[in-house]
Amino acid sequence: MTPVDSTAVADLLGVLAYAELTAFDRLAEDARLAPTLHGRAALAKMAAAEIGHHVRLTERLAELGVDPAAAMAPFVPALDTFHESTRPKTWLEGLVKAYVGDGLASDFYREIASFLPEPDRALVLEVLADTGHADFAVREVRAAIAADRTVGGRLALWGRRLVGEAMTQSQAVIAEHDRLAELIMTGTGDIAGVGRLIERITTAHTERMATLGLRG
Amino acid sequence: MTPVDSTAVADLLGVLAYAELTAFDRLAEDARLAPTLHGRAALAKMAAAEIGHHVRLTERLAELGVDPAAAMAPFVPALDTFHESTRPKTWLEGLVKAYVGDGLASDFYREIASFLPEPDRALVLEVLADTGHADFAVREVRAAIAADRTVGGRLALWGRRLVGEAMTQSQAVIAEHDRLAELIMTGTGDIAGVGRLIERITTAHTERMATLGLRG
């Protein structure tokens, strides 16, 4: 395997650290849309877990001699734009975004992580591990669709919008970060490899939509 | 010591559990006002710590056979009203609220906790322990006042407003919860004891304002 540029590692840890910080923000905000105190506390707990991940990543960056704020800064605009343009208006939209959007992002970061040397590969896979959000979201969304069939159609549209925005923003991120682009090209081998990577991510996305009871 | 009504224990754990959940919300919201990614992450970490406390309290309620949501519910209106009426408009207002407001609330809960039997007394004292917020807030606020003298006057006014609202809401809570009122009366001994309790809390508040460099 070609040795990985250490700045590419810092890039990936930086984007992930900021992604965890925004995940915290978003879960905390969505928690307020919860119809029950139980749901609100459940989301707040997941938000707290994301901060635990954020701390792990920033500690590793510091260990590598990289200022965490500097490593995160280049990714702030793209991630903020994504979240601003996909702000959930309801509790269910928030859950679909968390499950479908985070699932998509996690798959993408996991693919890149597989090109990293240890210990960073293990660290990234660890912080991407599900914090219990998936099961919770699936349960709530399926129950809501079972109770009212019209909910499914609206949420399916919402899911498609999320994917569109995610694609736009991730392309922008990669285009602006040569080292990340290079890491993906080197890791996958060639353009056909990139195509297979995208196919794997798309397939997993369709499966997640189906799990929620939504057409992708 | 007169045995404590077990419903009074549930009341105190319930109000605290909801207070921790709102503290999480508020810190998460204030984090977004942070001028730096470092400050934002610092507040997010404190928010995560509050959720840890919330979990401890709800676990104890469940152990006592009390539904956590039911124990929290009676206190939702008063705490929400307090936070709605004292929503910080700036990063510094948020820090002063966290330091001065949470300090006041913690002192009050700590006084009541001293009337509780174990293990609840220890649990309450543990979840009231500072999560590093105090030092952080003091440092940031003092630096801001040092940089711009006019900041101090505005924040002192804000601090006085916080106390006024806190007093109004805590009186409302106690008035509506006979068992809490009784717990305080029994614990302090008599009206003079209640007076001394209020005096201790007021003195500590004035000291906190002075620590921030503000006139109480």
Side-chain angles (χ1 to χ4, degrees):
Chain A
M1 201 160 150
T2 324
V4 172
D5 185 341
S6 73
T7 53
V9 174
D11 272 353
L12 186 63
L13 299 180
V15 67
L16 269 175
Y18 190 66
E20 298 282 2
L21 195 53
T22 58
F24 165 85
D25 262 0
R26 205 198 51 220
L27 288 167
E29 217 177 309
D30 293 355
R32 263 170 253 137
L33 298 169
T36 61
L37 280 177
H38 176 75
R40 186 167 149 197
L43 251 69
K45 276 180 237 176
M46 292 166 200
E50 307 286 359
I51 280 302
H53 294 163
H54 168 82
V55 170
R56 295 289 313 274
L57 292 161
T58 53
E59 279 170 359
R60 175 63 181 154
L61 280 165
E63 212 175 281
L64 294 170
V66 180
D67 172 38
M72 290 189 273
F75 304 101
V76 170
L79 286 171
D80 283 0
T81 303
F82 172 70
H83 288 301
E84 285 302 321
S85 61
T86 57
R87 196 176 280 279
K89 278 186 213 64
T90 65
W91 168 241
L92 292 173
E93 283 187 1
L95 291 178
V96 170
K97 178 171 171 182
Y99 181 63
V100 165
D102 290 5
L104 204 67
S106 292
D107 282 347
F108 176 66
Y109 293 132
R110 235 180 245 119
E111 291 275 356
I112 305 186
S114 68
F115 313 142
L116 295 187
E118 295 293 0
D120 296 300
R121 189 189 336 191
L123 173 62
V124 170
L125 294 178
E126 185 197 320
V127 301
L128 290 176
D130 176 43
T131 54
H133 202 135
D135 278 350
F136 181 82
V138 169
R139 220 166 38 233
E140 293 266 319
V141 172
R142 290 186 74 101
I145 294 173
D148 175 1
R149 289 271 148 206
T150 65
V151 165
R154 282 199 304 274
L155 290 179
L157 273 176
W158 170 245
R160 286 196 282 278
R161 203 179 122 210
L162 288 173
V163 181
E165 290 286 342
M167 298 283 230
T168 308
Q169 292 308 322
S170 55
Q171 277 164 11
V173 166
I174 296 165
E176 280 167 37
H177 294 84
D178 292 348
R179 294 170 313 216
L180 271 185
E182 215 178 286
L183 180 64
I184 296 170
M185 276 303 274
T186 316
T188 50
D190 53 19
I191 280 287
V194 175
R196 284 191 298 273
L197 181 154
I198 293 171
E199 203 188 314
R200 283 193 297 275
I201 291 179
T202 314
T203 306
H205 167 69
T206 310
E207 281 165 13
R208 266 189 299 270
M209 290 290 276
T211 305
L212 286 178
L214 301 175
R215 286 188 48 184
Chain B
M1 201 159 148
T2 324
V4 172
D5 184 342
S6 73
T7 52
V9 174
D11 273 352
L12 186 63
L13 299 180
V15 66
L16 269 175
Y18 190 66
E20 298 282 2
L21 195 53
T22 58
F24 165 84
D25 263 359
R26 205 198 51 221
L27 287 167
E29 218 178 307
D30 293 354
R32 264 171 252 137
L33 298 170
T36 62
L37 280 177
H38 175 76
R40 186 167 148 197
L43 251 69
K45 276 180 238 176
M46 292 166 200
E50 307 285 359
I51 280 301
H53 294 163
H54 168 82
V55 171
R56 295 289 313 274
L57 292 161
T58 53
E59 279 171 359
R60 174 63 180 153
L61 280 164
E63 213 178 280
L64 293 171
V66 180
D67 173 38
M72 289 189 275
F75 305 101
V76 170
L79 286 170
D80 283 0
T81 304
F82 172 71
H83 288 301
E84 284 303 320
S85 62
T86 57
R87 197 176 279 279
K89 279 186 213 64
T90 65
W91 168 242
L92 292 174
E93 283 187 1
L95 292 179
V96 170
K97 179 172 171 182
Y99 180 63
V100 165
D102 290 4
L104 204 67
S106 292
D107 282 346
F108 176 65
Y109 294 132
R110 235 180 246 119
E111 291 275 356
I112 305 186
S114 69
F115 314 142
L116 295 186
E118 295 295 359
D120 296 301
R121 187 187 339 188
L123 172 62
V124 170
L125 293 178
E126 185 197 318
V127 301
L128 290 175
D130 177 42
T131 54
H133 202 136
D135 278 351
F136 181 81
V138 168
R139 219 165 39 234
E140 293 268 318
V141 172
R142 290 186 73 102
I145 294 173
D148 176 0
R149 288 271 148 207
T150 66
V151 164
R154 283 201 302 275
L155 290 179
L157 273 175
W158 170 245
R160 287 195 281 277
R161 201 177 124 210
L162 288 173
V163 181
E165 290 286 342
M167 297 283 231
T168 308
Q169 292 308 323
S170 55
Q171 277 163 11
V173 166
I174 296 166
E176 279 167 38
H177 295 83
D178 293 347
R179 294 169 312 216
L180 272 185
E182 214 177 287
L183 180 64
I184 296 171
M185 275 303 273
T186 316
T188 50
D190 54 19
I191 279 286
V194 175
R196 283 191 297 274
L197 181 155
I198 293 172
E199 203 187 315
R200 282 193 296 276
I201 291 178
T202 314
T203 305
H205 166 70
T206 310
E207 280 165 13
R208 266 189 299 270
M209 291 290 276
T211 305
L212 285 178
L214 300 175
R215 285 188 48 184

